[in-house]
Amino acid sequence: MPTVADQFIEILVEAGVRRIYGIVGDSLNPVVDAVRRTDGIEWVHVRHEEAAAFAAAAEAQITGRLAVCAGSCGPGNLHLINGLFDAHRSGAPVLALASQIPSAQIGTGFFQETHPERMFNECSHLCEVLSHPEQMPRLLRSALQTAAGRRGVSVLVMPGDVAERSTANPTGEGRVHCEPPSVVPPESQVLQLAQALNSADRVMLFCGAGAGRAHDEVMRLAETLKAPVGHALRGKEWIQYDNPFDVGMSGLLGYGACHEAMHRADLLVLLGTDFPYDNFLPQANTVQVDIEPAHLARRTVLDFAVQGDVAETVRAVLPHLNTKTDREFLDRMLREHAEILERVVEAYTRDVETQVPIHPEYVADVLDDVAAEDAVFTVDTGMCNVWSARYVTPNGRRRMIGSFIHGSMANALPHAVGAQFADRDRQVVAMAGDGGLAMLLGELLTLRTHELPVKVVLFNNASLGMVKLEMLVDGMPDHGTDHEPVDFAALAGALGLYSVRVRRPDEVRVALHDAFSHPGPAVVDVVTDPNALSLPPHITGAQVKGFALAVSRTVLSGGVGKMIRLARSNLRNIPGR
């Protein structure tokens, strides 16, 4: 007679799940044994359950399909919570199995007793206790469909003794519908949007991850309106490439003329973005298009809102638009964008090829050259966010995964684990900071155990660089941000991984080429300048007081890599040049 654990795994396989990330133990043992006896699914042993959740989140984002992680009772499943917050806020469809102590002991203060159904509510769309075999298979299928359909986390709490019981109901057949919907807004909203776009002389488009399936539509809209196009960090990989209207990025990591274009436009159109930094938005003359109604108007005052898929909305509104002929606003923003980047490049690229310690911008720039055209970059929170935002050049095939909303440290390496399991033949590069890598250092063993060919490029400055910058602009002396230098290449070598330590800039390109040519996992430990905080050449007194809008934009305005080439090429689109 099959057990509930057997039925659980059978349903996962039926739903297309190919692996479960986690650590075996006590209350999970019946489920792990069911995996052992079932073809088509594997147990992926990680070194920390937090990494299991991060890995599942990355796999789900790369494939668009459900991914699964699991934690044993008490501390085991509690370790999942940080990675599940990241998955949920990133819109990654993930099922988490939170195993529980024996049913009869719940409520008695038993060894390792917790109440996951209470604790995981904030980071899930569904969190329920599977306490009777009779709840299967319906509850599991409901959890899977909720995660897939609502693009987030579902958590099932299951005591180990329940997993061992015999099934009560036949498994039957079921399908999980995972493809995101396309929502066409009502005609009244389309006509209202068209009227606003036709009436405005200067329109600016600002795009987020919600425009991910709408690159061509956004370009057609920008051409029709002669509108500059900017993006949030999560919109970069989808919107910046093949974009003759690009004026850069806004936010704390922003660069170029994006902010100016936003504030000088008669009408700002937010497309598929829940951009959180409301102090960067003009708070006037704004409309928003988003498939998620909860996103509408929660960051800025709106003239009106349009609920719909970005691509469908643009396709619906284009026939109602008058093609604008006046390029004055667009051309002015393109020129200003190029001029800003020229100044930044001049200030931040001088002598970097000879500077020791190595300038991190230089490492990121070379990495962008060496990496594959379809590489997946996983990016640690902190200064690695800055370098990836400025130097990784999108092309429509590359992906960039990070904890961009939850903002957790230590995400790059476990995200890389999940991205590499999703496709073992695709190049996966973890842009890691030494602070982040140290937190989940054990996942280097996961790379070795599963022979995952992840390439870890470590920006090793012996400092928590972003925290140091935060203290600086708050007018505080940095304290507790620096630590003793660590030779991570030696550590990686001791763990059995290919590794190299790079101290000179003329060694960077060769080290990356050699590591990327190595068939297995590799660590390139680059000793970088701890004082390279993307600061401008001169800091005024006003710039060291608070993360006010102008301050943060100035302080984080350095280094843009190949963005200057795009800006220069876009100037050729201006008539008469």
Side-chain angles (χ1 to χ4, degrees), residues 470-487:
E470 291 166 353
M471 288 183 166
L472 169 67
V473 299
D474 260 343
M476 304 175 185
D478 61 274
H479 182 73
T481 59
D482 298 336
H483 43 266
E484 288 297 313
V486 175
D487 187 342

Side-chain angles (χ1 to χ4, degrees), residues 168-476:
N169 299 313
T171 301
E173 295 182 358
R175 182 184 175 193
V176 175
H177 301 274
C178 219
E179 186 175 354
S182 293
V183 176
V184 181
E187 185 178 7
S188 61
Q189 292 184 6
V190 172
L191 294 177
Q192 187 178 19
L193 177 60
Q195 182 180 9
L197 294 174
N198 285 329
S199 300
D201 292 328
R202 300 185 303 275
V203 179
M204 193 270 184
L205 309 179
F206 184 68
C207 305
R213 296 184 294 168
H215 178 275
D216 292 345
E217 288 81 1
V218 171
M219 295 304 109
R220 288 200 295 270
L221 181 62
E223 173 59 40
T224 300
L225 300 172
K226 305 301 181 287
V229 177
H231 59 270
L233 177 58
R234 294 180 71 218
K236 171 187 171 72
E237 61 180 324
W238 307 114
I239 292 297
Q240 191 178 46
Y241 71 96
D242 294 341
N243 180 357
F245 313 97
D246 178 61
V247 291
M249 187 171 78
S250 190
L252 297 177
L253 311 185
Y255 57 84
C258 183
H259 179 266
E260 284 72 15
M262 273 186 177
H263 285 74
R264 296 182 194 175
D266 296 329
L267 184 67
L268 170 63
V269 184
L270 304 178
L271 296 173
T273 178
D274 189 34
F275 183 72
Y277 302 106
D278 54 356
N279 58 337
F280 283 83
L281 299 171
Q283 298 297 327
N285 306 320
T286 303
V287 299
Q288 185 176 5
V289 178
D290 206 293
I291 197 171
E292 174 53 63
H295 292 174
L296 299 172
R298 75 174 179 177
R299 308 297 186 189
T300 181
V301 176
L302 296 179
D303 292 354
F304 62 90
V306 179
Q307 185 186 354
D309 177 83
V310 172
E312 294 289 351
T313 300
V314 173
R315 282 195 287 266
V317 79
L318 278 171
H320 301 284
L321 297 182
N322 303 323
T323 300
K324 297 183 187 297
T325 57
D326 185 354
R327 291 181 53 102
E328 191 274 335
F329 178 58
L330 170 61
D331 293 346
R332 180 152 45 96
M333 290 298 97
L334 290 175
R335 289 191 185 98
E336 185 165 325
H337 182 61
E339 289 169 3
I340 291 170
L341 298 197
E342 291 280 5
R343 292 197 299 269
V344 169
V345 167
E346 199 276 332
Y348 284 91
T349 59
R350 190 186 304 118
D351 301 327
V352 294
E353 295 185 12
T354 59
Q355 181 175 327
V356 177
I358 302 168
H359 218 279
E361 285 97 327
Y362 177 70
V363 180
D365 195 42
V366 175
L367 172 60
D368 186 52
D369 282 340
V370 174
E373 289 299 295
D374 66 343
V376 177
F377 297 86
T378 62
V379 183
D380 258 345
T381 298
M383 295 309 293
C384 284
N385 268 193
V386 179
W387 314 139
S388 64
R390 306 285 172 73
Y391 289 91
V392 174
T393 306
N395 57 14
R397 299 169 60 202
R398 287 177 165 180
R399 292 297 314 275
M400 191 160 67
I401 305 292
S403 188
F404 298 136
I405 301 178
H406 187 48
S408 174
M409 287 181 65
N411 63 284
L413 178 55
H415 270 158
V417 169
Q420 195 71 84
F421 264 111
D423 186 347
R424 281 183 171 269
D425 296 325
R426 191 172 185 180
Q427 186 181 85
V428 176
V429 180
M431 295 178 65
D434 54 311
L437 183 64
M439 289 180 76
L440 288 175
L441 186 63
E443 299 315 313
L444 290 177
L445 290 169
T446 301
L447 300 186
R448 191 193 69 180
T449 296
H450 302 286
E451 277 302 303
L452 296 173
V454 169
K455 314 306 178 189
V456 180
V457 180
L458 179 63
F459 292 74
N460 188 354
N461 63 359
S463 176
L464 301 177
M466 183 61 79
V467 180
K468 178 182 286 190
L469 180 58
E470 291 166 353
M471 288 183 166
L472 169 67
V473 299
D474 260 343
M476 304 175 185

